[in-house]
Amino acid sequence: MKHVLSASQFSREKILSLFATADRLKRERKDHGVLDYLRGKLVYLLFYEPSTRTRTSFGLAARYLGGRTDFTEAAGIFSSAAKGETLEDTIRVLQSYEIDAIVIRHKERGAAEAAARVAGIPIINAGDGDGEHPTQALLDLYTIVSNVRRDEIVVAMGGDLKHGRTVRSLCRLIIKYAADDAKFCLVFCSPPELAMRDDVLDELRAAGIPFSVTDNLSETLPACDVFYQTRVQRERFANALLGDAAFLDVQTRFALNAANVATMKPDAIILHPLPRVGEISPDVDADPRAKYFPEQTRNGLYVRMALLLTILRPDAV
Ligand code: NCD
């Protein structure tokens, strides 16, 4: 594994190995604190879009493994991109400084691939516009399989499935992970104008993963083992008014709250990549089925530690 660009690049074996490494690093960190595996390595965080979890957890993952980080935040303004430099040139410059990997978040779909084409060092896609967010999918699936033990897991995804990159990557990762003894069934529950795009639906059909499309939240909630809620990606709408309308629609008709969550199975779990902006009411947070804080976010730390170790120190996996 050199670059991490899409959830589709992982095999079931690779996913299982990453999860086992995450488990191991979680234990080692508990026993030993800061580890030593990435001593002398520098991970560069190049972020053109806002981020709290992904940037912080990648940075801390590198440091908890004994490595170091450097970064550019708001790279569209604070890097030479603001002067018109191409992404490719920025990557060429950064790697001339003898760094070991670049974690990149960019507003354009395909940006991580473009960076990888000119990079001699590993490029990790931390979100490319409305394309993919493969490392989020890894931590999401890790959270799912460590909580839900069923022969077939019904994963409902809600909110903005059209523009959300996390749900696209999660579908693609599930396609790779699914097996005869790990079956999945997906339910896409959103307003029709925020429906999952056809490319992912076609991939699910080709992989034989059953799915259904609905705008009926009250039927979806009692039937699922996982409800994965997402935020309306207002910044990705060409027409801001349509974005505002979709945002209000999700907040009024599709939000999770203590009352509708009460209809879910007792052992179901509720996930959200975060940030949430009203589509899960705070009155759900104390429900033991709500895993978005702290378990899901914390899993991001261990899964990203596992990923960095696998890429930068494969001999230590
Ligand atoms: C997500 C993203 O950036 O795509 N955030 C994250 O990384 N946890 C989800 C979002 O922004 O809605």
Side-chain angles (χ1 to χ4, degrees), residues 53-54 105 133 136 165-166 231 233 273-275:
R53 280 147 290 274
T54 308
R105 168 169 289 187
H133 194 347
Q136 177 72 42
R165 53 199 176 195
T166 69
R231 162 183 85 85
Q233 311 273 305
L274 302 174

Side-chain angles (χ1 to χ4, degrees), residues 85-126:
E85 184 169 67
T86 63
L87 174 63
E88 287 82 353
D89 280 359
T90 301
I91 298 294
R92 289 183 180 107
V93 171
L94 290 175
Q95 69 175 4
S96 77
Y97 301 139
E98 303 178 4
I99 58 181
D100 296 287
I102 296 175
V103 179
I104 179 171
R105 168 169 289 187
H106 199 280
K107 58 188 182 311
E108 309 232 322
R109 196 193 305 170
E113 273 100 341
R117 276 195 289 274
V118 297
I121 54 173
I123 298 289
I124 301 175
N125 182 4

Side-chain angles (χ1 to χ4, degrees), residues 146-165:
S146 50
N147 279 284
V148 185
R149 307 212 186 274
R150 285 179 185 267
D151 298 338
E152 187 189 61
I153 304 180
V154 179
V155 180
M157 301 187 191
D160 187 353
L161 309 178
K162 180 177 180 188
H163 306 98
R165 53 199 176 195

Side-chain angles (χ1 to χ4, degrees), residues 158-181:
D160 187 353
L161 309 178
K162 180 177 180 188
H163 306 98
R165 53 199 176 195
T166 69
V167 281
R168 293 171 57 74
S169 283
L170 184 55
C171 288
R172 288 180 165 150
L173 199 66
I174 285 173
I175 288 173
K176 295 297 176 174
Y177 181 80
D180 284 345
D181 56 352

